[in-house]
């Protein structure tokens, strides 16, 4: 670590404040750790939505990209030139930001995967600039409980591999993520696996019904603007059509059975799917939530009898509050999460939504509700313990010269 005077300077980095609730929840978990264990740290962000991050979390924030149209498709010559110039300017902007910090934390998120459409010159390039800058300028960069997956695109895979190699600290949110990076040629011998950072967030007070309510309670259905992954671009429209049709049929069947249904999202882009389902299923039993944080999602899912969801952090919120959950799975990370929480049998492919089969799985989930709730209590306790170890390890790796009182206080919380 660079020699310093005054408080340790910590940066947080990522597509934060950009409308994705899971990304922002991961940031919130890391800020909670820093404020509890390192209250002396001066924290700021380099992120996608700096205004939102400052307004919500009260920390200074800088825009990730110089070119403001970074995530709009460039078709005109001026826009293409602007993007190209932005890539050059960002080399120096990122390096200047990194230089001002002792530590930079990338909080969770699937930063080492391409399970959703992703271009190499987008976030993978930004992450590479961060990690390369950290290595060159002596700033420790930590990839904390991040997600990874096999990547088909050779340029994207190369950027991800180099970024991971250059980071000073790595941990993963599941074993397949670590396996994927090992397969890409990254030495993972010292890399640990911990639960997703969202499991460290406070859980809202919830009741634990001993018996299923009579009549049955509401069902939360978490939807997603799903078009397949990075390798599915040629059939993205077909994948989305099948997903929407199957999910709509499932929602309609629940409503026709008299079940109140609450639609959830996890990103601003999901609003179009909500609108399409509301238009197709005209019923007072069908409503849509307006969640703006993972805390909101946890409150919604805690009030439900069951949850069926697509987005990864919709699943985490439901599982964390102990609600029986069925995953519309689009990636290995969802299958792994469900297995870790004892619900591995309740996964359904998001690319091939079969409403009839989904209803069968849902009814089985309902029948085992009491048993699954008990299982989730135990699995959540185990996840919380593992994340305590994650934060202790992070302090040892990134803050070795800070006041030992913070580490000792953390150890006291771990003690039985």
């Amino acid at each position: 670590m660079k020699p310093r005077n005054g408080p340790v300077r910590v940066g947080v980095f990522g597509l934060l404040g950009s409308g994705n609730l899971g990304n922002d929840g991961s940031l919130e978990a890391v800020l909670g750790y820093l404020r509890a264990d390192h209250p002396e740290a001066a924290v700021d962000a380099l992120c996608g939505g700096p205004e939102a991050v400052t307004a919500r979390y009260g920390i200074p924030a800088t825009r990730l990209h110089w070119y403001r149209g970074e995530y709009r498709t460039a078709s005109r010559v001026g826009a293409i030139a602007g993007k190209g110039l932005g890539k050059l300017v960002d080399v120096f902007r990122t390096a200047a930001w990194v230089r001002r910090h002792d530590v930079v934390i990338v909080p969770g998120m699937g930063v080492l995967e391409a399970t959703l459409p992703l271009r190499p010159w987008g976030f993978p390039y930004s992450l590479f600039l961060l990690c390369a800058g950290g290595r060159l300028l002596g700033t420790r960069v930590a990839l904390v409980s991040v997600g990874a997956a096999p990547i088909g695109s050779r340029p994207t895979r190369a950027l991800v591999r180099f970024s991971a190699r250059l980071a000073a600290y790595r941990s993963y949110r599941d074993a397949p993520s670590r396996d994927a990076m090992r397969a890409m040629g990254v030495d993972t011998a010292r890399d640990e696996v911990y639960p997703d950072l969202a499991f460290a967030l406070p859980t809202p007070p919830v009741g634990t019904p001993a018996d299923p309510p009579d009549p049955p309670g509401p069902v939360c259905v978490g939807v997603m603007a799903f078009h397949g992954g990075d390798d599915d671009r040629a059939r993205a429209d077909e994948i989305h059509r099948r997903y929407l049709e199957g999910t709509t049929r499932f929602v309609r069947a629940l409503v026709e059975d008299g079940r109140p249904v609450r639609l959830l999202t996890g990103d601003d882009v999901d609003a179009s799917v909500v609108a399409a389902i509301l238009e197709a299923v005209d019923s007072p039993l069908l409503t849509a939530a307006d969640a703006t944080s993972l805390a909101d999602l946890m409150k919604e899912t805690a009030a439900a009898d069951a949850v069926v969801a697509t987005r990864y952090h919709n699943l985490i919120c439901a599982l964390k509050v102990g609600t029986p959950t069925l995953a519309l799975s689009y990636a290995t990370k969802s299958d792994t999460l469900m297995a870790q929480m004892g619900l591995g049998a309740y996964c359904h492919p998001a690319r091939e939504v079969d409403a009839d089969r989904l209803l069968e799985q849902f009814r089985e989930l309902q029948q085992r509700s009491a048993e699954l709730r008990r299982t989730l209590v135990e699995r959540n306790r185990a996840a919380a313990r593992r994340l305590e170890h994650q934060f202790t390890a992070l302090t040892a790796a990134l803050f070795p010269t800070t006041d030992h009182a913070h580490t000792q206080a953390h150890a006291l919380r771990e003690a039985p």
Side-chain angles (χ1 to χ4, degrees):
M1 183 180 292
K2 297 181 291 188
R4 59 179 171 82
N5 296 311
V8 62
R9 300 160 298 181
V10 180
V12 288
F13 177 94
L15 294 179
L16 310 165
S18 301
N20 184 284
L21 303 187
N23 291 359
D24 290 354
S26 298
L27 169 62
E28 186 176 343
V30 164
L31 290 178
Y33 150 69
L34 290 172
R35 286 164 180 164
D37 285 38
H38 303 282
E40 78 289 349
V43 183
D44 73 306
L46 184 63
C47 59
E51 297 86 359
V53 166
T54 297
R56 170 162 285 186
Y57 303 109
I59 61 173
T62 303
R63 186 173 298 281
L64 181 59
H65 301 289
W66 175 80
Y67 181 63
R68 289 178 176 265
E70 173 63 31
Y71 292 106
R72 294 194 295 267
T73 301
S75 55
R76 297 183 178 180
V77 173
I80 294 172
K83 272 198 173 186
L85 177 60
K87 297 304 173 189
L88 178 61
V89 173
D90 284 344
V91 173
F92 301 97
R93 289 179 72 252
T94 303
W97 183 82
V98 168
R99 184 189 293 274
R100 297 198 298 269
H101 297 85
D102 302 297
V103 171
V104 175
I105 296 175
V106 181
M109 306 177 285
V111 297
L112 303 178
E113 64 181 51
T115 52
L116 298 176
L118 183 70
R119 298 295 191 188
W121 54 82
F123 187 77
Y125 175 74
S126 300
L127 183 65
F128 171 73
L129 293 183
L130 171 76
C131 295
R135 178 62 66 90
L136 290 171
L137 299 169
T139 299
R140 297 177 70 82
V141 175
L143 310 180
V144 182
S145 286
V146 297
I151 297 173
S153 164
R154 186 173 296 176
T156 303
R157 187 170 64 248
L159 287 169
V160 164
R161 179 173 63 249
F162 286 130
S163 297
R165 285 176 172 173
L166 291 168
Y169 175 91
R170 295 180 298 269
S171 65
Y172 306 97
R173 64 188 178 191
D174 53 42
S177 293
R178 184 171 60 183
D179 294 343
M181 295 314 298
R182 184 184 299 119
M184 288 187 211
V186 176
D187 181 2
T188 62
R190 297 184 179 181
D191 299 353
E192 295 290 339
V193 172
Y194 297 100
D196 189 90
L197 288 170
F199 280 105
L201 294 173
T203 304
V206 295
T208 307
D211 300 300
D214 187 20
V219 179
C220 283
V221 177
V223 299
M224 178 179 179
F226 179 62
H227 294 79
D230 201 44
D231 297 330
D232 297 318
R233 293 178 184 272
R235 56 193 192 102
D237 290 344
E238 172 66 14
I239 288 172
H240 181 67
R241 182 187 64 79
R242 296 186 67 165
Y243 170 80
L244 181 58
E245 287 178 356
T247 305
T248 302
R249 280 190 60 205
F250 174 71
V251 169
R252 183 181 292 114
L254 290 177
V255 168
E256 289 174 351
D257 199 33
R259 301 296 297 266
V261 175
R262 188 85 161 147
L263 298 179
L264 306 178
T265 61
D267 194 293
D268 291 347
V269 300
D270 302 333
S272 61
V273 179
V274 170
I277 295 175
L278 288 173
E279 183 178 0
V281 183
D282 184 13
S283 169
L285 291 174
L286 178 62
T287 57
D290 185 22
T292 60
S293 67
L294 293 192
D296 289 344
L297 285 177
M298 282 190 269
K299 290 175 184 176
E300 293 283 350
T301 55
D305 194 25
V307 175
V308 179
T310 310
R311 281 199 179 271
Y312 183 73
H313 282 92
N314 278 196
L315 295 173
I316 287 180
C317 287
L319 296 167
K320 183 168 168 55
V321 299
T323 302
T325 302
L326 200 162
L328 287 174
S329 174
Y330 66 89
T332 300
K333 62 185 178 183
S334 299
D335 298 335
T336 302
L337 171 67
M338 295 294 284
Q340 288 173 342
M341 299 303 288
L343 281 81
Y346 299 102
C347 295
H348 189 95
R351 285 174 173 79
E352 304 285 344
V353 179
D354 180 334
D356 294 332
R357 173 60 185 146
L358 189 57
L359 279 166
E360 290 177 9
Q361 290 179 288
F362 176 77
R363 289 171 183 140
E364 181 186 338
L365 181 82
Q366 291 274 267
Q367 290 171 358
R368 296 183 58 201
S369 177
E371 171 195 348
L372 295 174
R373 285 179 182 273
R374 290 191 295 270
T375 298
L376 288 172
V377 169
E378 294 302 319
R379 300 300 171 94
N380 275 304
R381 287 173 181 162
R385 287 193 297 268
R386 286 292 295 154
L387 279 172
E388 288 287 348
H389 286 291
Q390 163 71 103
F391 293 136
T392 300
L394 200 57
T395 289
L398 301 183
F399 305 97
T401 61
T402 58
D403 189 343
H404 289 298
H406 300 309
T407 304
Q408 290 169 354
H410 205 97
L412 285 174
R413 291 202 300 275
E414 287 184 332

